[in-house]
Amino acid sequence: MSSLSSHSEPQTYMFSQMRAALSIAKSVDILEHVYSLPTPQAQEEAMAAIRAIEREAMAAQVAQPGLVEVMSYLDSRGVRKGICTRNFNTPVAHLLNKFLPDTHFSPIVTRDFRPPKPHPAGILHIARTWGLLRGKNTESSNSDGGAQSDGQVIVLDGEGGAGKGEGENGTEIEESDADASGLIMVGDSIDDMTAGRKAGAATVLLLSDVNGHLAEHDHTDLVIRRLDELVPILEEGFKTRHATSP
């Protein structure tokens, strides 16, 4: 379980490049700005500028330490994996083909999904796609026990380019019957941790040089420094420090 940026080493320099290209301040959400532009043409031109930066960064992706090991473990246990990313589909496909060509992720929720993190809709959509519904969920990667062969894992994007994440049909979706309590969300941003907490999932922060302040955040259940640290954690039984209700 990891964010898209947890698959590859963080490329946070992209954010400043995107804001410079769009002439917006650091405090402005990049995709909120794009979607607020007055015409479809202006929105598409701004989005094209963002995609160009993402494509350039895509070529420099480097795998996170422990990525292959943890994915091999999850594959061997039959754990399902999904992605919810702020990127568009091309960098996602490139990353998976480059580092994890034999690992299956489904569904893959990209920028075409709304509303974005820190809203929990993307996580709940994955849970619902897997048939995890309130009152009907008998499968879990239990936060009080070890990873099970039918456990659930969600893979979320913490760096992800610009994304706001849009709905598959361009509209906000309602996932009120989805049950994400059996999911573990791994990411590297406050949006990841908050989206996971709001969805009712357990949250794992992949620590980096820029997110240490999130280690003690109320929305963070567990902190790791390498992805393969998850293997003994899941084997011994994942225990959160918070309740898993939203």
Side-chain angles (χ1 to χ4, degrees):
M1 301 106 20
S2 68
S3 70
L4 187 61
S5 59
S6 299
H7 283 114
S8 60
E9 293 186 352
Q11 296 173 298
T12 53
Y13 61 86
M14 285 193 297
F15 295 131
S16 59
Q17 291 180 353
M18 291 173 185
R19 291 190 169 91
L22 299 175
S23 299
I24 58 176
K26 184 177 181 180
S27 59
V28 177
D29 182 274
I30 295 170
L31 283 191
E32 281 187 4
H33 168 76
V34 173
Y35 297 139
S36 71
L37 294 174
T39 67
Q41 180 180 353
Q43 292 179 17
E44 180 51 37
E45 289 174 354
M47 194 67 75
I50 291 171
R51 293 192 195 105
I53 293 168
E54 290 172 316
R55 286 192 179 95
E56 184 176 352
M58 179 178 74
Q61 287 174 339
V62 177
Q64 282 278 5
L67 171 65
V68 174
E69 291 82 356
V70 73
M71 290 302 166
S72 295
Y73 167 79
L74 296 175
D75 287 343
S76 73
R77 298 298 297 267
V79 176
R80 288 188 287 186
K81 297 167 289 296
I83 293 176
C84 181
T85 177
R86 293 169 63 101
N87 259 303
F88 73 112
N89 59 333
T90 300
V92 178
H94 179 269
L95 184 145
L96 297 181
N97 290 334
K98 183 176 182 179
F99 299 130
L100 300 168
D102 299 320
T103 296
H104 179 67
F105 296 84
S106 180
I108 297 176
V109 176
T110 65
R111 181 174 299 162
D112 292 331
F113 188 99
R114 293 186 192 176
K117 298 173 294 180
H119 197 286
I123 302 173
L124 294 173
H125 172 69
I126 292 177
R128 197 176 199 287
T129 299
W130 285 343
L132 304 178
L133 306 177
R134 296 187 185 280
K136 299 181 181 179
N137 180 12
T138 59
E139 299 176 299
S140 69
S141 55
N142 197 321
S143 61
D144 295 320
Q148 302 171 18
S149 61
D150 57 358
Q152 315 304 326
V153 171
I154 186 165
V155 183
L156 294 168
D157 174 36
E159 175 186 274
K164 171 125 174 153
E166 282 181 19
E168 294 178 345
N169 57 3
T171 60
E172 293 191 8
I173 59 170
E174 180 60 50
E175 302 290 350
S176 59
D177 60 344
D179 182 1
S181 62
L183 303 183
I184 302 173
M185 172 187 173
V186 181
D188 63 359
S189 73
I190 184 57
D191 284 353
D192 294 328
M193 300 297 99
T194 298
R197 174 64 64 241
K198 288 182 176 180
T203 60
V204 176
L205 176 72
L206 180 60
L207 201 63
S208 72
D209 292 339
V210 298
N211 66 8
H213 61 289
L214 298 178
E216 298 300 323
H217 195 281
D218 189 55
H219 293 172
T220 301
D221 284 320
L222 184 69
V223 177
I224 59 173
R225 290 170 175 77
R226 289 175 50 101
L227 286 174
D228 51 3
E229 290 178 20
L230 285 168
V231 174
I233 289 169
L234 293 173
E235 279 294 304
E236 296 169 10
F238 184 93
K239 292 181 173 60
T240 70
R241 70 184 185 191
H242 301 292
T244 56
S245 58

